[in-house]
Amino acid sequence: ARGTCGGTMTPMKSSCAVQVELIAQRREARRLRALQEKASLQEERKQSAAQSMTLDDVRFSRMVAAERAFLLSPSSSDDDDTDATDASTSTPRVAVMVRKRPLFERETTRGKQVDVVTALPMGRLAVHEPKTSVDCSKRVESSVFEFDDSFGEDATNDDVYVRAVAPLVRLCISGAEEGANATCFAYGQTGSGKTHTMSACYEQTARDLAAGCEENGLSMKVSFYDIYGGKCYDLLSDRAPCQALEDARGRTKIVGLREVTALDADEVLKLVERGMRCRKTSRTDGNATSSRSHAVFQVTLKSKLPGEEGVRKTPSRLALVDLAGSERGADRGKLVDQRIRREGAEINKSLLALKECIRALSVGCGVNGGKDGGALAAEPSFVGEQRVPFRGSKLTQVLRDAFIGKNSKTVLLAHVSPGHGHAEHTMNTLRYAIRLKDGSDGTSNLPVGPKPASPCSPLARGCDPTSSPSSGDGGDDEEVNYEKYSTDSREHMSHREAIDPARLREAMDAHAGAAAAAAPAGEGLP
């Protein structure tokens, strides 16, 4: 174009051409950022200790680190400080705690495992699960669980003992004449560190009990047995079989179980070592020496001083239970024999019965509706208004006396593995434990749903330049809908179970009359 004054004018670009140039510039910028990101990932992979680590593994490790930094930031924990402080002031009858073991060196070098479990303050624990969106982009989804206490990988066995087991020991020593009962369960998948924790607790428990017995004039009897395949075996008598029977008062007694009177801590530790050598173990995919039986280490404390005439003294009992590792049948493969399948089925059956018993006990406030609990009543299968299925397994049957009564306390110490290859098992363990806590305080502690978008959330942009933004898959909505569905289902079941006994009796009489009338005619009713 020429100007009116004889000069020339630069040609004007159309808006379409300008947009094309802008698109090209943005494309080049994205390519440059992708190349820089790839070079950074290559450098980080070279510095990693893991062998044959791919770029996707490095990218996933970065996403987990960003998610962990977001949850550990002060802004994300300020909202929960008040609630956690209020909850910590109470002493629940059923306490649920969780411990995270550290990653093994072989898991980081050969297994390329990434730590996806984060221990947060105020008894919280977060799991960062690897997820794939509908557009095939990778992301991390975090679920936060709240417990009475949590132990990270830096926590020592002394820390676990002081906060989980020591209160139970003090309860049994102080209530040696009042029938105090305390039980600690170590639960988790195979290879999560249950036996390691309980072995350290045995030693410290023996020393504290010996010191308490000497100061308070108490006698100490030790028994050690395990439950395998629905049968009891005495570990102090070379796995001699025992029978769990009920007496006339409804109390469960283990006939043939040996009880040894221990005078000091060293004698108790010798009995523990003898029993551990006889425990049933076998090799699994996750652990070379996996415990396949429930080991129960039980100590009975009784006062040596003569009691008043007419006053009956009830001894106290402390039980440390190392549960068998939970696992799914699919994890063992299809080439296992029938014995191993029955073994796993029996373990899962007993763990399910234990969960139902602890939930019923935490909801009820006493035996047969009693406000303060008390001794065993005529129908010991009921706690408050809740029926306790003690006969669901041999484990809950032999430990029934340790659960009931006003002077009893139970601690469930869940153990989780931190590797992302065990994320599904870790989530199952935490869901198992959190359902027990739901019954103890009456609140729902399902994984946290909506929360502010973290740097690697699908709602945030720019976390991974090489992948497209997520279009959303409704992960949080599924959690909320699931919780709502579970609540509606429980309400529906409660309404359905509310049947009038009189109407039910009339219906049964009518059915019996119709059957009697139809019998001569050769008719049959379904």
Side-chain angles (χ1 to χ4, degrees):
R2 293 182 179 275
T4 56
C5 299
T8 60
M9 297 180 60
T10 57
M12 298 292 294
K13 292 184 179 180
S14 64
S15 59
C16 182
V18 173
Q19 292 296 328
V20 170
E21 291 183 358
L22 288 176
I23 292 175
Q25 293 176 4
R26 293 169 183 170
R27 182 172 62 251
E28 292 298 327
R30 286 197 303 270
R31 290 177 177 175
L32 180 60
R33 288 196 301 268
L35 291 175
Q36 294 175 352
E37 177 72 13
K38 187 175 181 179
S40 177
L41 293 174
Q42 292 280 9
E43 184 65 24
E44 187 173 346
R45 186 181 66 172
K46 293 179 181 179
Q47 298 177 358
S48 176
Q51 301 175 0
S52 65
M53 194 173 187
T54 63
L55 294 182
D56 290 338
D57 298 333
V58 178
R59 188 178 292 110
F60 172 67
S61 179
R62 282 189 174 185
M63 296 170 68
V64 172
E67 191 77 7
R68 179 177 289 115
F70 170 77
L71 291 176
L72 291 174
S73 61
S75 60
S76 63
S77 58
D78 289 342
D79 299 337
D80 301 329
D81 288 346
T82 304
D83 297 339
T85 303
D86 295 340
S88 62
T89 57
S90 61
T91 56
R93 181 179 180 182
V94 178
V96 182
M97 306 180 185
V98 61
R99 185 183 190 184
K100 165 195 172 185
R101 70 162 175 84
L103 274 175
F104 299 141
E105 184 179 358
R106 65 175 183 272
E107 293 179 327
T108 57
T109 55
R110 296 192 299 268
K112 300 184 297 183
Q113 293 291 318
V114 178
D115 187 355
V116 296
V117 179
T118 303
L120 302 174
M122 304 300 177
R124 296 180 301 159
L125 196 79
V127 182
H128 316 292
E129 291 184 278
K131 296 290 184 178
T132 303
S133 301
V134 293
D135 59 352
C136 298
S137 60
K138 305 296 183 180
R139 62 185 179 89
V140 172
E141 180 178 311
S142 297
S143 300
V144 182
F145 298 84
E146 295 182 3
F147 298 95
D148 295 295
D149 206 343
S150 62
F151 305 94
E153 63 273 18
D154 298 331
T156 62
N157 292 326
D158 295 337
D159 298 334
V160 177
Y161 174 79
V162 169
R163 290 148 64 179
V165 184
L168 304 180
V169 175
R170 291 193 295 267
L171 174 65
C172 292
I173 294 176
S174 61
E177 299 180 359
E178 301 174 358
N181 286 301
T183 311
C184 179
F185 295 95
Y187 171 77
Q189 73 170 110
T190 177
S192 58
K194 303 182 300 299
T195 305
H196 172 75
T197 301
M198 298 307 290
S199 298
C201 292
Y202 292 150
E203 180 179 357
Q204 299 179 1
T205 300
R207 302 192 184 283
D208 288 352
L209 286 177
C213 290
E214 184 178 356
E215 294 176 1
N216 298 274
L218 304 176
S219 63
M220 179 171 49
K221 291 186 177 181
V222 179
S223 60
F224 202 5
Y225 62 96
D226 68 346
I227 302 173
Y228 176 76
K231 298 180 181 180
C232 298
Y233 299 91
D234 190 358
L235 298 180
L236 300 182
S237 300
D238 297 330
R239 290 188 60 82
C242 305
Q243 289 185 343
L245 304 176
E246 291 186 6
D247 58 10
R249 300 184 59 192
R251 297 180 180 272
T252 302
K253 302 293 184 180
I254 302 180
V255 180
L257 180 63
R258 181 186 178 188
E259 287 188 342
V260 181
T261 301
L263 301 178
D264 53 11
D266 295 335
E267 189 173 354
V268 175
L269 294 178
K270 291 180 181 179
L271 295 175
V272 171
E273 294 177 0
R274 179 178 178 181
M276 292 297 292
R277 288 194 299 266
C278 299
R279 189 178 177 186
K280 180 66 175 179
T281 60
S282 63
R283 182 180 182 86
T284 61
D285 296 338
N287 190 3
T289 57
S290 176
S291 302
R292 309 313 297 161
S293 63
H294 307 304
V296 182
F297 173 72
Q298 186 170 279
V299 180
T300 304
L301 302 180
K302 188 176 181 180
S303 177
K304 297 179 181 178
L305 303 177
E308 300 180 1
E309 185 177 358
V311 178
R312 181 179 180 181
K313 294 183 178 181
T314 305
S316 62
R317 293 182 180 178
L318 172 66
L320 302 181
V321 185
D322 184 8
L323 298 173
S326 62
E327 63 179 11
R328 301 174 304 179
D331 298 333
R332 303 297 297 269
K334 299 181 180 180
L335 301 179
V336 296
D337 56 10
Q338 192 68 19
R339 181 189 62 83
I340 297 179
R341 291 187 180 276
R342 288 197 303 266
E343 179 183 89
E346 186 66 31
I347 292 174
N348 294 334
K349 173 187 173 182
S350 60
L351 294 178
L352 178 61
L354 176 64
K355 180 191 71 172
E356 297 300 327
C357 288
I358 295 180
R359 288 190 67 183
L361 288 166
S362 58
V363 172
C365 58
V367 177
N368 290 339
K371 181 178 180 181
D372 297 327
L376 276 170
E379 190 64 36
S381 295
F382 286 85
V383 175
E385 300 297 332
Q386 188 80 11
R387 181 186 181 277
V388 183
F390 284 114
R391 292 182 176 89
S393 69
K394 187 65 66 175
L395 174 66
T396 54
Q397 183 179 355
V398 299
L399 294 177
R400 179 175 62 180
D401 297 350
F403 289 146
I404 59 180
K406 63 179 180 180
N407 200 14
S408 64
K409 189 173 182 180
T410 302
V411 174
L412 180 77
L413 186 57
H415 294 72
V416 295
S417 301
H420 71 276
H422 306 286
E424 187 175 359
H425 293 280
T426 298
M427 291 294 294
N428 292 334
T429 300
L430 296 178
R431 290 190 185 105
Y432 180 99
I434 205 66
R435 288 191 180 102
L436 304 182
K437 189 175 185 297
D438 291 344
S440 61
D441 57 10
T443 59
S444 176
N445 285 297
L446 289 175
V448 173
K451 61 182 179 65
S454 63
C456 288
S457 172
L459 302 179
R461 297 291 185 263
C463 174
D464 186 5
T466 61
S467 61
S468 60
S470 171
S471 59
D473 60 348
D476 293 339
D477 293 338
E478 292 179 1
E479 293 286 352
V480 177
N481 291 337
Y482 170 75
E483 182 179 357
K484 181 177 182 300
Y485 173 77
S486 301
T487 306
D488 295 341
S489 300
R490 289 192 295 267
E491 293 177 355
H492 174 69
M493 291 297 295
S494 62
H495 289 309
R496 196 177 72 177
E497 292 174 357
I499 301 176
D500 188 4
R503 295 182 60 186
L504 178 61
R505 192 178 301 107
E506 293 176 1
M508 293 177 64
D509 294 341
H511 183 78
E523 298 178 357
L525 292 176

